[in-house]
Amino acid sequence: MLTQIINARILTPQGWLKDGSVLIRDNKILEVTNCDLAIIGAKLIDAKGMYIVPGGVEIHVHGGGGRDFMEGTEEVFRTAIKAHMQHGTTSIFPTLSSSTIPMIRAAAETTEKMMAEPNSPVLGLHLEGHYFNMAMAGGQIPENIKDPDPEEYIPLLEETHCIKRWDAAPELPGAMQFGKYITAKGVLASVGHTQAEFEDIQTAYEAGYTHATHFYNAMPGFHKRKEYKYEGTVESIYLIDDMTVEVVADGIHVPPTILRLVYKIKGVERTCLITDALACAASDSQVAFDPRVIIEDGVCKLADHSALAGSIATMDRLIRTMVQKAEIPLEDAVRMASETPARIMGVLDRKGTLERGKDADIIALDRDLNVRAVWAMGELVEGTNKLF
């Protein structure tokens, strides 16, 4: 069946296309054109002048709809993923906070089952931890944190094929060996929950760590020890031009001024937006998987107020925050939510932009940047048909 979205302002890799149309057939984008004359036999969708942009690619999300991916079951995964898809996420890498090996195996089994399904939004599993610096644990579960252990990670990567990203603190014993091993397996190595300074980051980059987990959060910036000053993890990552970063763009984890600074220094092609959302996102739930976590001031925190512990954000909120609070152009905010994460995760060949031959993952946003419709693989996501 041929579907044609007309009367739209469409974001293409070449810029905005006014009064154009998008043709969809068999889950793919057949054509993006500046002609919006109705095609005979096509199902017409009038976008009413709204923005038509690529679907969001979420590379760091712990849960939603009241469920956490650490629970590991298929039911949980489907509930959380559906909740985020209603807010503009069309591709997702479910994320586990620092977990036990049995928890990782359970989640990997579910991930692999869902990845095998036709037109699945699930593109792989992201392990945030558990090889972190205990002093920077933040909202991570401390009893699960340890140094990199080849007796754990080698069998895991030999037995599964769904782990696409794994985060670690590069200053830990064994972290360089870990980085080299996982990148040789095609897994993105990311720096997180760390106290690394420049030499650690430089060595880590050479060992394969090319990305930074929730940039600015759970890592030090410029600091003093006695009378001397030292660069932090933040400045070290800025200095390595080709390192990519992700930011929790809820306006709370990182202030809008700093979001603008990251955009200014790292740029669109090396900055991506993430929710880092917990189970309570996109739901009425006030409960997180970790009993230490509370929801307060629109964000998840440890109850003792010692650290933030994740967000309740959704993809549409990230875009609104970047545009309305950080004053970044809409086209750049959208690219950081779609094109850049797709490139970082190696799926830009089929995700992240509106182009002929790519998967028909599309969002309609109104002038206030609220989601009015979401198509994932050409199918309208349930609960998002607010155009009609």
Side-chain angles (χ1 to χ4, degrees), residues 299-312:
V299 73
C300 300
K301 307 175 181 180
L302 293 183
D304 65 3
H305 294 87
S306 62
L308 296 178
S311 88
I312 58 171

Side-chain angles (χ1 to χ4, degrees), residues 133 136 168-171 190-202 204-205 209 211-225 229-241 243-245 265-266:
N133 188 320
M136 301 300 288
E171 68 272 25
S190 185
V191 170
H193 291 267
T194 174
Q195 290 185 325
E197 293 177 350
F198 183 72
E199 286 189 8
D200 297 315
I201 294 295
Q202 180 70 53
Y205 179 71
Y209 291 85
H211 188 64
T213 303
H214 45 49
F215 193 44
Y216 275 93
N217 294 116
M219 60 180 66
F222 180 73
H223 55 279
K224 285 178 66 175
R225 287 197 293 272
K229 300 174 180 66
Y230 297 84
E231 75 290 332
T233 310
V234 169
E235 292 79 16
S236 303
I237 289 167
Y238 274 137
L239 285 168
I240 299 178
D241 291 341
M243 279 197 81
T244 55
V245 302
I265 297 176
K266 277 295 183 181

Side-chain angles (χ1 to χ4, degrees), residues 61-366:
V61 56
H62 296 279
R67 307 309 295 265
D68 191 294
F69 293 121
M70 290 175 80
E71 297 176 73
T73 68
E74 189 177 333
E75 177 197 359
V76 163
F77 271 55
R78 293 193 191 281
T79 299
I81 290 165
K82 179 181 178 181
H84 280 283
M85 289 182 74
Q86 292 177 339
H87 290 270
T89 294
T90 54
S91 300
I92 194 164
F93 292 83
T95 303
L96 299 189
S97 188
S98 292
S99 302
T100 64
I101 296 301
M103 291 167 75
I104 294 172
R105 289 189 190 280
E109 182 179 348
T110 298
T111 302
E112 291 185 353
K113 179 177 181 181
M114 296 186 71
M115 286 175 72
E117 295 173 356
N119 303 322
S120 176
V122 180
L123 302 186
L125 187 64
H126 165 209
L127 301 182
E128 188 191 4
H130 47 288
Y131 305 139
F132 285 152
N133 188 320
M134 186 66 80
M136 301 300 288
Q140 301 284 320
I141 298 173
E143 51 266 37
N144 293 340
I145 293 176
K146 60 183 291 190
D147 292 341
D149 182 355
E151 293 188 7
E152 286 182 345
Y153 64 75
I154 290 176
L156 264 176
L157 289 181
E158 293 291 337
E159 295 164 18
T160 64
H161 65 266
C162 67
I163 298 169
K164 302 298 182 183
R165 170 179 166 188
W166 205 330
D167 310 352
E171 68 272 25
L172 298 179
M176 294 305 107
Q177 178 188 354
F178 171 72
K180 290 175 182 176
Y181 180 82
I182 68 169
T183 52
K185 291 287 187 180
V187 177
L188 176 72
S190 185
V191 170
H193 291 267
T194 174
Q195 290 185 325
E197 293 177 350
F198 183 72
E199 286 189 8
D200 297 315
I201 294 295
Q202 180 70 53
T203 305
Y205 179 71
E206 292 166 359
Y209 291 85
T210 58
H211 188 64
T213 303
H214 45 49
F215 193 44
Y216 275 93
N217 294 116
M219 60 180 66
F222 180 73
H223 55 279
K224 285 178 66 175
R225 287 197 293 272
K226 295 186 176 179
E227 69 271 37
Y228 296 109
K229 300 174 180 66
Y230 297 84
E231 75 290 332
T233 310
V234 169
E235 292 79 16
S236 303
I237 289 167
Y238 274 137
L239 285 168
I240 299 178
D241 291 341
D242 289 337
M243 279 197 81
T244 55
V245 302
E246 63 187 28
V247 286
V248 186
D250 61 357
I252 301 171
H253 275 75
V254 184
T257 49
I258 300 300
L259 290 173
R260 196 157 66 243
L261 178 66
V262 177
Y263 165 76
K264 187 173 183 178
I265 297 176
K266 277 295 183 181
V268 175
E269 295 189 352
R270 294 188 177 90
T271 306
C272 74
L273 311 183
I274 60 163
T275 62
D276 195 10
L278 300 192
C280 34
S283 78
D284 297 326
S285 172
Q286 296 294 304
V287 179
F289 183 79
D290 186 338
R292 302 172 303 153
V293 173
I294 61 170
I295 303 171
E296 187 178 83
D297 304 325
V299 73
C300 300
K301 307 175 181 180
L302 293 183
D304 65 3
H305 294 87
S306 62
L308 296 178
S311 88
I312 58 171
T314 48
M315 186 63 67
D316 51 344
R317 178 174 166 187
L318 306 182
I319 294 170
R320 284 194 297 272
T321 299
M322 295 300 281
V323 174
Q324 296 170 357
K325 295 183 179 179
E327 300 176 352
I328 286 163
L330 174 59
E331 57 268 30
D332 287 346
V334 169
R335 289 179 64 199
M336 289 188 283
S338 53
E339 177 187 328
T340 303
R343 181 183 296 108
I344 289 169
M345 298 306 298
V347 296
L348 189 58
D349 60 323
R350 61 190 193 276
K351 304 287 184 183
T353 60
L354 301 183
E355 293 180 86
R356 178 196 296 180
K358 289 203 172 183
D359 293 342
D361 294 341
I362 301 167
I363 314 174
L365 298 172
D366 65 21

Side-chain angles (χ1 to χ4, degrees), residues 3-6 8 22 24 27 29 43-48 50-56 85-86 88-91 119 121 351 354 359-365 371-382 384-388:
T3 301
Q4 183 182 16
I5 303 172
I6 63 168
V22 181
I24 303 168
N27 315 117
I29 296 172
K43 176 186 176 183
L44 282 185
I45 296 171
D46 185 354
K48 302 174 183 175
M50 292 185 190
Y51 301 109
I52 295 293
V53 302
M85 289 182 74
Q86 292 177 339
T89 294
T90 54
S91 300
N119 303 322
K351 304 287 184 183
L354 301 183
D359 293 342
D361 294 341
I362 301 167
I363 314 174
L365 298 172
V371 170
R372 299 291 294 274
V374 181
W375 291 266
M377 297 298 290
E379 297 294 326
L380 192 64
V381 173
E382 182 185 348
T384 69
N385 56 340
K386 299 171 186 174
L387 280 175
F388 316 117

